[in-house]
Amino acid sequence: MSVTHPLGGSSYGWPDGEPYEDVPRGTLKSGKEAEIFLVERRFARSGPRLLALKRYRIRNPAKDELRDEGFSNATSFRRHAMYREGWNVGARDRRALAAGNKSRHGQELASALWPIAEWATLRRAWEAGVTVPYPVERTDDGLLMEYIGDEERAAPKLAQARLKTDELASAWAQLGDNLRAL
């Protein structure tokens, strides 16, 4: 079965190799392990695109370090063991991760692996035809992806969308299609 991605599959129309400038536009959402920022990428020829930059928080930051790095919420996500279960790491690294925040190596490893794991998952989902944001690029502390929304606000969560009966049936069918693609 061939799956066509709703946004055009791998030929999303991303302007590869074109010069650009990234302009921060503010914080979209603050969560337990990361914050999502709105970024306007201004391309030289093809015009601007809005992107979502997901940045993971620093583990065990020094005083004011999160604020200095642009994060609005200063909490750190510590209960991450259940999210790490699928990470393919060696025995030493597995022990360091299991120790939580007790070793510098474990902290640095967790900080590095979070964006790598999420990037890989987002790319696999996109390539499978799942309706996820287009993965633009991985950064040192997170990832850039397509922004879903408009200039005024991000697209609502499904629970906030207030769908009509026919829209709800369509959303249910799309959910089934996405689960099969995954």
Side-chain angles (χ1 to χ4, degrees):
M1 177 179 134
S2 174
V3 177
T4 303
H5 199 282
L7 294 176
S10 61
S11 61
Y12 176 58
W14 192 255
D16 284 335
E18 187 176 330
Y20 63 85
E21 173 190 15
D22 284 344
V23 179
R25 300 273 302 267
T27 303
L28 289 171
K29 184 171 180 3
S30 182
K32 58 187 176 286
E33 83 277 359
E35 286 190 32
I36 301 176
F37 302 90
L38 183 62
V39 174
E40 180 180 355
R41 181 162 283 186
R42 296 178 181 166
F43 288 98
R45 294 182 300 277
S46 58
R49 304 246 180 137
L50 291 176
L51 303 174
L53 170 61
K54 183 171 187 178
R55 290 184 61 209
Y56 287 89
R57 283 192 185 78
I58 303 159
R59 307 269 180 204
N60 298 323
K63 185 177 190 296
D64 297 328
E65 187 176 9
L66 287 171
R67 189 197 62 209
D68 293 345
E69 289 292 324
F71 291 99
S72 62
N73 187 341
T75 61
S76 290
F77 183 50
R78 302 209 190 281
R79 286 174 272 178
H80 49 78
M82 64 187 269
Y83 296 96
R84 296 188 318 246
E85 288 183 14
W87 293 358
N88 187 17
V89 295
R92 176 180 180 251
D93 292 341
R94 196 170 26 261
R95 285 191 303 275
L97 289 169
N101 292 323
K102 294 180 183 170
S103 79
R104 166 88 57 214
H105 176 67
Q107 294 166 16
E108 290 171 358
L109 186 61
S111 292
L113 289 176
W114 270 97
I116 292 168
E118 183 152 1
W119 174 255
T121 301
L122 183 61
R123 296 249 343 159
R124 280 195 310 269
W126 172 266
E127 290 164 1
V130 177
T131 50
V132 295
Y134 175 70
V136 175
E137 65 189 53
R138 193 168 65 81
T139 66
D140 289 340
D141 61 354
L143 54 125
L144 264 166
M145 64 189 111
E146 171 190 19
Y147 168 72
I148 310 293
D150 59 28
E151 292 279 338
E152 302 299 318
R153 65 185 167 275
K157 294 178 183 176
L158 186 57
Q160 299 165 333
R162 305 289 181 236
L163 301 177
K164 297 176 185 145
T165 303
D166 58 332
E167 295 170 324
L168 189 58
S170 174
W172 181 256
Q174 290 174 49
L175 173 63
D177 293 342
N178 284 322
L179 288 173
R180 281 186 288 284
L182 284 172

